[in-house]
Amino acid sequence: MNHSPRIRTVMGCTLLVTALGASVTGCGGSSHPLAAKPYDAANEISFVGESGSKKTDPNKPIEITSEGDEARITDVTATDSIGRYVAGELSADGSRWHSTAPLAADAHYTVHVSTEDDDGEPGRKVLTFDTGHESGKNRSLKVTFGPEAGKYGVGQPVTAVLSAAVKDKAARAVVERALKVDSEPAVAGSWTWVDDKTLHYRPEEYWPAGATVEAHSTLNGIKVGDRLWGGTSKPLRLTIGDRIEAITDAATHQMTVYRNGRVINTLPITTGKPGFETRNGVKVVLGKERFVRMRSTSIGIAEGSSDSYDMDVYYATRVTWSGEYVHAAPWSAGSQGYANVSHGCTGMSTSNAAWFFNTVRIGDIVKVVNSNGAQMDPFGNGFGDWNLSWKNWEKGSAIQAAATDGGRSGVQAARLSPEV
């Protein structure tokens, strides 16, 4: 098969690589066939789709096939104008390639097709096409990333709230693949589905101190489900501070605060008394309130009962939405370091509470150990995400679940630490 005049000389001499100059020398003065310019393979392949002014249906896969027996497809790369790759599958004999991922609506695609003829010479063809617009009664699925841009502690998960519920497993996988989280330094992580409209992302261990975390969506224009297409979303950028961890030991009545692994303070505390035991497990600082009015009725204690209270509290660092704080408790000064007498919060002196309040930031870690209380819930009462083992966290990922169902391991990256 001859596509154009070319000299094909078989090179029989040995290539010499010099250590000093790292130069390569050959004999004969003729180039190697593999270095030849690819021939135009337009007559050897066909494209199933629309080109020119016609629009390709984004609901249908694209297909590239080889014509006759004179050439085989060796590689296909399809991208849209913003750099999104289209996943595809090439048959073993190189006769057919087809896309296996959804196309975006209203997008311009470029497809690079590489071929090889019977003589092993490379061919190349570049195809372009545009997809049509999906309108009418279709809904737009938008993503809101959280928290707000800023500086956070090492325990802060990235959240994604969808504008519409997504229940179907395949649709969830489409959404999850489009939600990108990158960090510098790079660490492996995974999304997990909290409910039909909410996802959380975290690495296996806490974020590295000083890291930069960026989240963005490539869902725009992608079909998610029946009449549901991805919409635009605002990206998010977070920076991570020092690794601040407060270990609250309910048995010794002491809180030990670490900065990047080094103890920076040990504080006498009191935690929940019998019947009001403080929750065990890892919690993430949700917010800080210099003053808050605390009333027992907010946690179900009847007004006027022996356990009722209504008081002003200072330097309150919130760790659950239901009202668990680390705060100043001057009324229990005699018990701090000796006994647990609170209604579930962690109390300490006013000066120590002020120090803690000024030291921690949202996203820092407060871990309670040796309490007789229940385990902190992973979701719904703050960020208890870190109380799930990595194995169980990945079970909440639509992508990892699909990989496991298909007989492949859901963990592709090496893990450096044991489960949480």
Side-chain angles (χ1 to χ4, degrees), residues 249-295:
D249 192 328
T252 64
H253 317 294
Q254 300 287 324
M255 173 188 282
T256 305
V257 183
Y258 298 82
R259 184 192 301 274
N260 298 327
R262 183 177 63 87
V263 176
I264 58 173
N265 212 340
T266 301
L267 311 172
I269 58 167
T270 182
T271 62
K273 64 184 178 180
F276 297 92
E277 289 89 348
T278 305
R279 297 171 184 83
N280 276 298
V282 178
K283 303 156 193 176
V284 174
V285 173
L286 302 173
K288 301 193 295 181
E289 301 167 61
R290 193 170 293 274
F291 164 79
V292 62
R293 181 183 177 187
M294 292 188 178
R295 290 174 285 185

Side-chain angles (χ1 to χ4, degrees), residues 55 138 223 332 346:
K55 304 286 187 178
N138 293 326
K223 184 176 183 179
S332 64
T346 298

Side-chain angles (χ1 to χ4, degrees), residues 293 295-298 300-310:
R293 181 183 177 187
R295 290 174 285 185
S296 58
T297 53
S298 66
I301 300 175
E303 187 176 356
S305 67
S306 59
D307 280 310
S308 68
Y309 57 85
D310 186 344

Side-chain angles (χ1 to χ4, degrees), residues 25-327:
T25 305
C27 67
S30 179
S31 62
H32 192 279
L34 293 180
K37 181 180 179 180
Y39 63 82
D40 184 357
N43 295 327
E44 297 176 351
I45 61 171
S46 63
F47 168 58
V48 179
E50 303 291 350
S51 59
S53 60
K54 293 184 178 181
K55 304 286 187 178
T56 294
D57 186 350
N59 290 301
K60 297 179 180 179
I62 56 174
E63 183 176 298
I64 310 292
T65 57
S66 62
E67 295 291 311
D69 300 324
E70 296 179 335
R72 56 187 289 271
I73 300 169
T74 58
D75 184 63
V76 176
T77 302
T79 57
D80 69 5
S81 57
I82 62 173
R84 292 180 293 193
Y85 283 84
V86 179
E89 187 174 88
L90 179 63
S91 62
D93 62 0
S95 64
R96 175 178 178 267
W97 179 93
H98 68 282
S99 59
T100 58
L103 300 177
D106 259 351
H108 178 76
Y109 282 92
T110 302
V111 185
H112 295 266
V113 184
S114 298
T115 65
E116 184 180 77
D117 69 9
D118 293 337
D119 297 325
E121 295 188 35
R124 181 70 56 84
K125 179 61 180 175
V126 179
L127 305 166
T128 61
F129 67 92
D130 296 304
T131 54
H133 177 64
E134 288 290 331
S135 58
K137 297 180 180 179
N138 293 326
R139 294 174 297 158
S140 177
L141 182 67
K142 297 182 179 181
V143 183
T144 302
F145 291 108
E148 295 181 355
K151 193 168 186 177
Y152 293 85
V154 298
Q156 179 64 50
V158 175
T159 63
V161 178
L162 309 179
S163 61
V166 177
K167 299 181 179 181
D168 178 73
K169 290 182 179 179
R172 284 188 171 192
V174 171
V175 171
E176 195 174 324
R177 288 191 181 95
L179 304 184
K180 311 295 186 180
V181 179
D182 302 304
S183 68
E184 179 59 42
V187 290
S190 174
W191 289 102
T192 201
W193 287 77
V194 177
D195 55 43
D196 293 340
K197 298 178 67 174
T198 309
L199 300 88
H200 287 187
Y201 185 99
R202 49 157 272 211
E204 182 177 3
E205 292 293 312
Y206 303 135
W207 296 107
T212 299
V213 180
E214 296 182 340
H216 69 280
S217 170
T218 61
L219 199 60
N220 188 31
I222 298 295
K223 184 176 183 179
V224 177
D226 185 31
R227 296 194 175 280
L228 183 63
W229 291 75
T232 58
S233 301
K234 183 180 178 181
L236 172 70
R237 187 176 190 272
L238 307 177
T239 54
I240 306 300
D242 289 337
R243 178 168 174 154
I244 301 293
E245 299 172 84
I247 308 301
T248 302
D249 192 328
T252 64
H253 317 294
Q254 300 287 324
M255 173 188 282
T256 305
V257 183
Y258 298 82
R259 184 192 301 274
N260 298 327
R262 183 177 63 87
V263 176
I264 58 173
N265 212 340
T266 301
L267 311 172
I269 58 167
T270 182
T271 62
K273 64 184 178 180
F276 297 92
E277 289 89 348
T278 305
R279 297 171 184 83
N280 276 298
V282 178
K283 303 156 193 176
V284 174
V285 173
L286 302 173
K288 301 193 295 181
E289 301 167 61
R290 193 170 293 274
F291 164 79
V292 62
R293 181 183 177 187
M294 292 188 178
R295 290 174 285 185
S296 58
T297 53
S298 66
I299 60 172
I301 300 175
E303 187 176 356
S305 67
S306 59
D307 280 310
S308 68
Y309 57 85
D310 186 344
M311 60 182 67
D312 296 338
V313 174
Y314 294 88
Y315 300 112
T317 301
R318 182 188 284 270
V319 292
T320 73
W321 296 125
S322 62
E324 185 181 324
Y325 290 84
V326 177
H327 63 74

